[in-house]
Amino acid sequence: MAHADNSDLDPLWQNLDWAVGQILIMGWDGTEVTPQIRSLIEDHHLGSIILTAKNLKSAQQTAKLVQELQTIAKKAGHLQPLLIALDQENGGVNSLFDEDYVCQFPSAMGIAATGRADLAYEITKATATEISACGVNLMLGPVLDVLSNARYQPLGVRATGDDPQEVSQYGLAAVRGIRDAGMASCGKHFPSYGNLDFLGSNLDVPIITQTLEELSLSALVPFRNAISSGKLDAMFIGGCGISNPSMNVSHACLSDQVVDDLLRNDLGFNGVAISECLEMEALSHELGVQNGVVMAIEAGCDLVLLCRAYDVQLEAIKGLKLGYESGIISKERIFTSLRRVLRLKSTCTSWSKALNPPGISLLSQLHHNHQALSRRAYDDSITIIRDKEKLLPLSASMHPGEELLLLTPLVKPLPASSLTKKLLESKGDQSMAYTAHGVWVHHDRERGAIMSGEGVFREFGKSLARARNEKLLHTSYTANGVRPVHENLIHRASCIIIVTADANRNLYQAGFTKHVDMMCSMLRSRGQKKQLIVVAVSSPYDFAMDKSIGTYICTFDFTENALHALTRALVGEIAPKGTLPGTLRKSKKVLKSRQHWLVEEYQPDRDASGLEDLLRAIYRACAPDLRFLQTTRAATFNLHSQNISEAHFVVRNSSTAALYGFAATFFVHGVGILGAIFVDPTKRDVSIGRSLHRRAMKSLVQRRGIKKVQIGSAFPGVFPGIPVEQVSTVRDWFANSGWDTQFPRRITNMVINDLATWTAPEGLLQSIQRANISFDLIHGLDNAETVLNHVRSNANPEILELYRSALADTKSCGIVRAKDTAGNLLGTIVICRQHSDLSDYVPPLFSHTEDIGGILAPIIPALPFSSLILQGLALMGVRQNKSHKASKSVLGLVVDDGTEPLTAMGFETLQAFDEITNSLENVSQKEDVACLHV
């Protein structure tokens, strides 16, 4: 209980410097004590430390490091030991890795898949005991978030699932395990990271859009229950925003509505509130760290987190002192947090414990039992969601001598893994280690993370081959899709295993898997044996709802332990009995309208004027979201290309000649494309769109040689996909019309608005020169066969026709080629002058008032310097545009994450679209069903 005269506090705390140091928690980069962290403890009286993978090499080194930190604090006059905090969630989020002494256990969702809350207690207690032996006293866990939107949230398997009661059950078991190991626990991430809306910019933070009532019924349930148990010591307050009718908060951890009102007053939490890291870009750019740290304390936070940058940490200390001196923060407010922190320390540490961590002497005694617990947990977590064709175990479906193909994505190795350890040791730089702390907090950390190619899954392939005593084919796949090497291996193999890792957020994996599934179906129809097994090694939601994937297994992480358990399951050594946690979102039953509209073929002579009026009406209703429609004309949809077949459709008023709706379809090299579909804004919700869609799809699926269908056309480029501004509503509309819309490909148009003042980024040319990349410009079709072959192999067929059209326009367009020293083609891009013929078909290039230079369709396969090649091609394009006196450059049709290196060059996003591709079989079946219900 607090005393009015503060007589309950040691006189030392009357010194503001000492008190301020106790309400901050800081970290640093490096595996040894640096002068900076020593100074923070000795001179600024820092009372709490956060350790990350960047600090830790082994259990022994960790224990020694923590002991040294505590010794420094003791000698500096600290009355109580330092709080030493660590993320050790298991699964893919562990800061400390030591395969000799520290055990790896399944992720939170993996544990929930076993169906045993008692296992959650055992595992969390084992983990807490291990890191406690190394001197850590505050576990940053458990994760108490409810995955309300499970498929698309980056939190993924770190959370238990989407059922609030189940999350509570496993969360409470984890809290008990941590406490029984003698450590303090910290629930996270309040109020919820389970249903965030991501806005896209580096400086944006994700936001919660649910109302407080909605949060109370779902997201807040596990937090409320953990607080009510009386055993939760601390709460980690997220950095997300909140936007709902009753609350408009830019950063939760800086809001008294969130911390003091919701957490303390409404939920009754009396423990330590820890802020999200205030070094996050959004906060530092918007508010500055000094303002941020003052706001965090004012909001009710007791420990303010600053992860790594010493200059920022000093700025924060200065900010707190200025806040006190200016009267914004009172001494009583500081003492309130100080008391909470001191009380927490008294429950989880003492000097005798802090200065003498047992280290490996205890860990060596625990290791055997913990290893057995780990193996049992991983075996029990493996989940077979479907095995329609009884392909498992492999011995039951494959004969001796038949070849097995393993296709794996390129993923970052987990921070706590032997692969990462080897990579860091080979580079001699532990600071390259990356952590899971804050998905959006430190963007440079993500950009600098090491990539390992096939390394993550190479050992899995070897162990599977050994277990079967058969050869195994193994290669990786990328966002470039199915390449000839994949096709050749698929033709050889009798069984194909595709591994996905968060395919809902890495959409190329979903597209690749669906493509291979389509190939296998086609080859099976020809009498070949082509079994397909899909393994989700992270989020189980990749294909949980897609029943066209007949055999689907989930592991919930891709640690070595999980992949060994997967091997045992595949060869029949264990019988998997895991189940998917929580509740799967049920497919919504689509209510089809019974109203029919007469759909006619588009006739330019009759309908062009009505289409121009319709385009203007839609532009007025949707501007600025669809601003490109301002320069779209009826003629834009008429390509008159000998390689592209066109069929367009209208719903019209035969009495007035007005168009109520329009759909454009194209067919090129086996791909049917729905290039546009729009309806008069005053005539929506009366089934005009449905009628047009049915007629357009019927026309496409009847094309001879059609292999797949696509929403979005790059040429003409009015709608390269569903505009992202309308993606949720429009995507739902297409889903209800029979499309599988889960796995789009992002297509982005970008712009440099002022070419006159633009300059190339410093060092870009030198980087290109060091990489020995050269560029040239070609015009005309005579010397273009290598370019066309390159595009044919690496891009959609309509892009090939775009290139052909550009090459044919020798006066206004050309192709820039990137080549290596041997003359091999590395990449290509289209450039065009102002008012070129291509601008008639790509609306962002068309203008009556501006001179817009065009740079279109960069095509670059997966190469070591692909980002640099893209930047080089863009640079050549901008130079050409400037030489032709263009006032701005539009760079169109950038695929997926190609936008990042272009943003670094000064390009801004003009418009983004989601292109959807489906197999013909999938859409045809669903379209038949849709028609039957009409």
Side-chain angles (χ1 to χ4, degrees), residues 721-790:
I722 300 171
V724 295
E725 291 86 353
Q726 303 178 327
V727 73
S728 59
T729 55
V730 177
R731 186 159 61 187
D732 286 348
W733 188 90
F734 278 110
N736 291 340
S737 299
W739 289 79
D740 182 349
T741 62
Q742 296 180 76
F743 312 114
R745 184 171 73 145
R746 182 59 54 90
I747 308 291
T748 305
N749 294 332
M750 308 187 77
V751 64
I752 294 175
N753 281 304
D754 187 359
L755 271 187
T757 59
W758 181 87
T759 56
E762 186 177 349
L764 177 58
L765 276 173
Q766 292 88 332
S767 297
I768 292 169
Q769 290 166 357
R770 283 195 298 271
N772 293 316
I773 304 169
S774 62
F775 302 90
D776 64 6
L777 175 65
I778 66 167
H779 303 273
L781 290 160
D782 293 340
N783 301 313
E785 196 55 37
T786 56
V787 168
L788 294 177
N789 286 335
H790 167 77

Side-chain angles (χ1 to χ4, degrees), residues 11-23 44-45 317-318 320-325 329-331 334-335 338:
L12 178 70
W13 305 121
Q14 297 297 328
N15 182 323
L16 181 68
D17 289 352
W18 274 98
V20 165
Q22 293 300 303
I23 59 175
H44 300 284
H45 318 297
I317 294 169
K318 182 180 178 182
L320 273 182
K321 292 178 181 178
L322 286 173
Y324 172 76
E325 291 166 4
I329 302 174
S330 67
K331 179 179 286 189
I334 294 173
F335 282 171
L338 175 64

Side-chain angles (χ1 to χ4, degrees), residues 583-851:
T583 57
L584 273 174
R585 288 190 294 176
K586 301 293 187 295
S587 299
K588 295 178 181 178
K589 292 183 178 179
V590 181
L591 297 175
K592 299 291 181 181
S593 169
R594 297 180 181 276
Q595 194 168 11
H596 287 271
W597 290 80
L598 182 64
V599 179
E600 304 174 61
E601 290 192 12
Y602 172 77
Q603 297 179 17
D605 293 343
R606 181 192 67 189
D607 299 324
S609 176
L611 180 54
E612 297 278 2
D613 291 340
L614 179 60
L615 285 165
R616 282 193 291 271
I618 295 169
Y619 168 71
R620 286 193 297 270
C622 299
D625 288 350
L626 303 183
R627 56 186 175 273
F628 54 89
L629 289 182
Q630 186 178 21
T631 54
T632 302
R633 295 158 297 163
T636 304
F637 298 99
N638 298 320
L639 290 174
H640 307 297
S641 167
Q642 62 181 1
N643 295 320
I644 301 179
S645 301
E646 305 175 24
H648 309 325
F649 305 95
V650 295
V651 170
R652 58 189 291 271
N653 184 323
S654 59
S655 302
T656 64
L659 295 194
Y660 292 161
F662 172 80
T665 71
F666 306 92
F667 178 68
V668 52
H669 304 307
V671 179
I673 299 172
L674 184 59
I677 184 167
F678 38 79
V679 174
D680 185 325
T682 65
K683 299 290 184 182
R684 289 180 181 161
D685 298 321
V686 292
S687 299
I688 291 173
R690 298 253 180 247
S691 299
L692 283 165
H693 180 265
R694 280 193 295 272
R695 181 68 179 88
M697 294 306 297
K698 183 178 180 181
S699 169
L700 288 175
V701 299
Q702 289 176 346
R703 295 278 188 180
R704 179 175 295 178
I706 188 167
K707 299 173 184 175
K708 60 182 178 179
V709 287
Q710 177 178 303
I711 298 173
S713 168
F715 187 53
V718 183
F719 289 97
I722 300 171
V724 295
E725 291 86 353
Q726 303 178 327
V727 73
S728 59
T729 55
V730 177
R731 186 159 61 187
D732 286 348
W733 188 90
F734 278 110
N736 291 340
S737 299
W739 289 79
D740 182 349
T741 62
Q742 296 180 76
F743 312 114
R745 184 171 73 145
R746 182 59 54 90
I747 308 291
T748 305
N749 294 332
M750 308 187 77
V751 64
I752 294 175
N753 281 304
D754 187 359
L755 271 187
T757 59
W758 181 87
T759 56
E762 186 177 349
L764 177 58
L765 276 173
Q766 292 88 332
S767 297
I768 292 169
Q769 290 166 357
R770 283 195 298 271
N772 293 316
I773 304 169
S774 62
F775 302 90
D776 64 6
L777 175 65
I778 66 167
H779 303 273
L781 290 160
D782 293 340
N783 301 313
E785 196 55 37
T786 56
V787 168
L788 294 177
N789 286 335
H790 167 77
V791 177
R792 189 180 289 112
S793 300
N794 294 286
N796 287 0
E798 78 269 24
I799 297 289
L800 178 64
E801 298 310 316
L802 171 68
Y803 268 73
R804 280 202 176 105
S805 181
L807 287 163
D809 183 2
T810 56
K811 293 182 179 179
S812 301
C813 299
I815 307 297
V816 175
R817 301 185 296 186
K819 296 186 288 187
D820 62 17
T821 52
N824 298 311
L825 193 58
L826 302 177
T828 57
I829 204 164
V830 174
I831 58 166
C832 46
R833 293 191 182 197
Q834 306 90 296
H835 315 298
S836 67
D837 290 345
L838 275 184
S839 67
D840 292 337
Y841 305 108
V842 183
L845 300 185
F846 186 89
S847 175
H848 292 294
T849 59
E850 293 181 294
D851 290 324

